[in-house]
Amino acid sequence: MMHGKERRRGMMEQHGADIISTVEFNSTGELLATGDKGGRVVVFQREQESKSQPHRRGEYNVYSTFQSHEPEFDYLKSLEIEEKINKIRWLPQQNAAYFLLSTNDKTVKLWKISERDKRPEGYNLKDEDGRMRDPATITTLRVPILRPMDLMVEATPRRIFSNGHTYHVNSISVNSDYETYMSTDDLRINLWNLEITNRSFNIVDIKPANMEELTEVITAAEFHPNQCNTFVYSSSKGSIRLCDMRAAALCDNHSKFFEEPEDPNNRSFFSEIISSISDVKFSHSGRYLMTRDYLTVRVWDVNMECKPLETYQVHDYLRGKLCSLYENDCIFDKFECVWNGSDSVIMTGSYNNFFRMFDRNTKRDVTLEASRENSKPRAILKPRKVCVGGKRRKDEISVDSLDFSKKILHTAWHPSENIIAVAATNNLYIFQDKVN
């Protein structure tokens, strides 16, 4: 179905610092950014097509690596704030430079990534080594000239948006007006202007007067792709609220509410935990919403609140294993979900380095594996099957031998082509359709 190309990133001294925590294509798909637990951002650039090697197009090579966040310490709360990058969002490209927003638990930063391939020479007030000259010795004026040099890619922080959040930031989303963005923590959503760092507007606040009455937290939020007044946020109780910023300055009253009532026959101790929504995404068209909880992906029509249009089982074979998944904390894993460019296929991750694809038109689904064996160039990904109990066919894997430490939480889909990026712990796999 797809052939793989693996990017192994240099192991850092710190154990686990290179575990990938977010993956994001830019709006053209030419660039792909990953963030990791060590606070670094790595940007990959797609190779241009050359006459001599037409098949090389589609390879992504490292373009820029920079340290986005450092570990901090909040002395007022005696809390360590880790440097792990929670989310990256690209801004649409408007000139030769690229801009992206990255966030850890507390601080959002706007980075500019630009190229330099010329350097000025022949300064008047400096000598060739850069030392300042004594103005008294300058008798002639020189015209500085630009000389070519090796290409340098520079990443510079243009804005730092801090002090906006008391709780951990779980998502950021750039508005379609390209002037504002929102950042979301467990209890509040803030709206920022991209140019203004010292103030933000609180647009949702679900913090109760008495924290003992807290029953739910916000898990993710996203702007509508083309209506700049509309956004959606999901909660740990399994509900989604659609809000309209034109209705009121504080959007505590939602305009639409989406929730699947629970089947009383499936009620268990774990019901509440597994119904928590870990990701919500508008389709590119803006017509649909996709949500991911622990076991399922649901697609909602924005105009129909009563029930989801489609429900896909990601790994239903884990229903009988919830007890051990609770004991090893896996039940709290936050899986993300993504649409392909035409909103016809959706992708989300699972355990054992498996990821799932659901075709909304044919209703076919497939389980694929991101692993070293499958990542040789031109290797074809073979569908995998998991069997529960009973006799196992030779190409199936038993549910009891799944590796729960290998989990695919973060994936990304190229905005217009069948190229996907899959983060498996500290490896990034890039697969593409063989028709390319």
Side-chain angles (χ1 to χ4, degrees), residues 23 179 284 316 341 429:
V23 190
E179 285 179 20
H284 294 80
D316 208 39
Y429 296 90

Side-chain angles (χ1 to χ4, degrees), residues 222-316:
E222 193 183 48
F223 270 118
H224 189 284
N226 47 44
Q227 295 170 9
C228 60
N229 53 285
T230 309
F231 67 93
V232 67
Y233 69 91
S234 59
S235 92
S236 56
K237 276 194 149 172
S239 59
I240 312 125
R241 291 170 175 85
L242 187 103
C243 302
D244 185 343
M245 292 194 292
R246 294 172 304 188
L250 195 61
C251 301
D252 287 356
N253 295 326
H254 50 266
S255 50
K256 290 187 180 178
F257 182 79
F258 305 85
E259 188 176 43
E260 170 97 296
E262 194 198 353
D263 179 356
N265 299 326
N266 288 338
R267 180 99 192 121
S268 77
F269 170 73
F270 305 109
S271 295
E272 231 164 85
I273 304 172
I274 63 172
S275 66
S276 174
I277 292 175
S278 52
D279 197 15
V280 58
K281 292 263 173 48
F282 272 105
S283 62
H284 294 80
S285 66
R287 175 71 195 266
Y288 303 104
L289 282 168
M290 167 167 56
T291 59
R292 168 77 210 254
D293 59 32
Y294 192 65
L295 294 175
T296 60
V297 171
R298 292 188 170 91
V299 174
W300 300 79
D301 186 323
V302 168
N303 302 326
M304 188 174 84
E305 296 165 71
C306 57
K307 62 175 198 287
L309 272 186
E310 299 150 29
T311 300
Y312 300 100
Q313 300 299 333
V314 178
H315 36 216
D316 208 39

Side-chain angles (χ1 to χ4, degrees), residues 200-234:
S200 61
F201 295 95
N202 178 226
I203 53 173
V204 171
D205 186 350
I206 66 163
K207 185 183 177 190
N210 176 3
M211 281 295 269
E212 286 173 8
E213 292 165 11
L214 182 70
T215 57
E216 65 180 327
V217 294
I218 302 171
T219 54
E222 193 183 48
F223 270 118
H224 189 284
N226 47 44
Q227 295 170 9
C228 60
N229 53 285
T230 309
F231 67 93
V232 67
Y233 69 91
S234 59

Side-chain angles (χ1 to χ4, degrees), residues 138-162:
I138 299 171
T139 55
T140 57
L141 275 177
R142 296 193 288 180
V143 179
I145 53 169
L146 287 171
R147 287 212 189 282
M149 61 176 234
D150 289 343
L151 177 68
M152 243 177 70
V153 180
E154 291 180 313
T156 45
R158 295 307 300 271
R159 306 265 186 282
I160 295 176
F161 305 89
S162 50

Side-chain angles (χ1 to χ4, degrees), residues 122-142:
Y123 286 102
N124 286 289
L125 297 174
K126 293 181 195 164
D127 61 19
E128 295 312 315
D129 299 331
R131 286 190 297 265
M132 295 306 285
R133 290 167 59 183
D134 175 8
T137 64
I138 299 171
T139 55
T140 57
L141 275 177
R142 296 193 288 180

Side-chain angles (χ1 to χ4, degrees), residues 374-393:
N374 299 345
S375 66
K376 313 266 184 299
R378 313 273 171 278
I380 304 283
L381 284 184
K382 287 190 205 65
R384 302 297 309 260
K385 281 221 164 35
V386 178
C387 75
V388 186
K391 290 230 303 262
R392 184 166 69 91
R393 294 207 189 94

